[in-house]
Amino acid sequence: MRKFLLMLSLLITFAASAAESIALRVIPTSGEPVTFLLDTKPEVQFSGQTLVISSTAQPVGVRFEMDKVDNIDFTTVTALNEMEQPGITVTYATGMVTFANIPADTDISVYTTDGRCVTQTRATGEFSLSVSDLAAGIYIVRVGTFVTKISF
């Protein structure tokens, strides 16, 4: 019986550790962390003072001005899309840009580069933006205190 319990506990420990993954986390000075799962093969590029991270889940790329980035680190993912320290995540799939982990009743605004507001709403949990509803170009998206640029 002891052998069985020992094997069972080892199996549970192994299964729990196998479910963990590592993620790249960018913590902007103005808001919630943005997390990219390493399983999605994030690609980090620097262009002048701009950091651009794209991945298989986010091919559009998320842009950060380096002077507005507080920290870049790695964090442990304990389950699919469940981060140890939750923050707003951005993903792109099938023509939709999706913002997840949004705090309750958060203001969301989408602006053109000339400052025109093209979408304004409130959301809790998740907000999806269809790129087919917008002209090709660069947009600034504000989700509460989190701000990012998207382009397509």
Side-chain angles (χ1 to χ4, degrees):
M1 183 67 170
R2 283 186 176 180
K3 274 188 174 180
F4 176 73
L5 291 176
L6 177 62
M7 290 299 283
L8 184 59
S9 67
L10 287 173
L11 182 60
I12 290 170
T13 303
F14 177 74
S17 66
E20 290 184 351
S21 294
I22 304 295
L24 174 67
R25 179 174 57 187
V26 179
I27 305 171
T29 56
S30 64
E32 292 291 320
V34 180
T35 307
F36 302 87
L37 298 174
L38 292 189
D39 296 347
T40 64
K41 301 176 185 165
E43 181 179 309
V44 178
Q45 298 175 356
F46 293 94
S47 176
Q49 290 294 317
T50 304
L51 165 69
V52 180
I53 302 176
S54 58
S55 69
T56 55
Q58 179 64 40
V60 172
V62 179
R63 297 177 180 275
F64 302 92
E65 298 302 320
M66 287 303 296
D67 61 342
K68 303 224 186 315
V69 173
D70 187 42
N71 193 21
I72 301 171
D73 63 8
F74 294 95
T75 187
T76 302
V77 178
T78 56
L80 184 62
N81 292 331
E82 181 183 320
M83 307 299 163
E84 282 184 349
Q85 295 187 1
I88 294 173
T89 57
V90 183
T91 56
Y92 176 83
T94 61
M96 299 292 283
V97 178
T98 302
F99 297 84
N101 298 326
I102 299 172
D105 203 31
T106 300
D107 289 319
I108 299 172
S109 302
V110 180
Y111 299 93
T112 61
T113 54
D114 64 357
R116 287 183 300 115
C117 182
V118 293
T119 302
Q120 197 166 19
T121 189
R122 286 181 172 264
T124 298
E126 186 173 289
F127 170 73
S128 293
L129 179 64
S130 174
V131 297
S132 64
D133 293 341
L134 302 170
I138 299 171
Y139 294 87
I140 294 45
V141 181
R142 182 181 186 110
V143 181
T145 58
F146 170 80
V147 179
T148 190
K149 293 180 200 173
I150 59 172
S151 62
F152 49 89

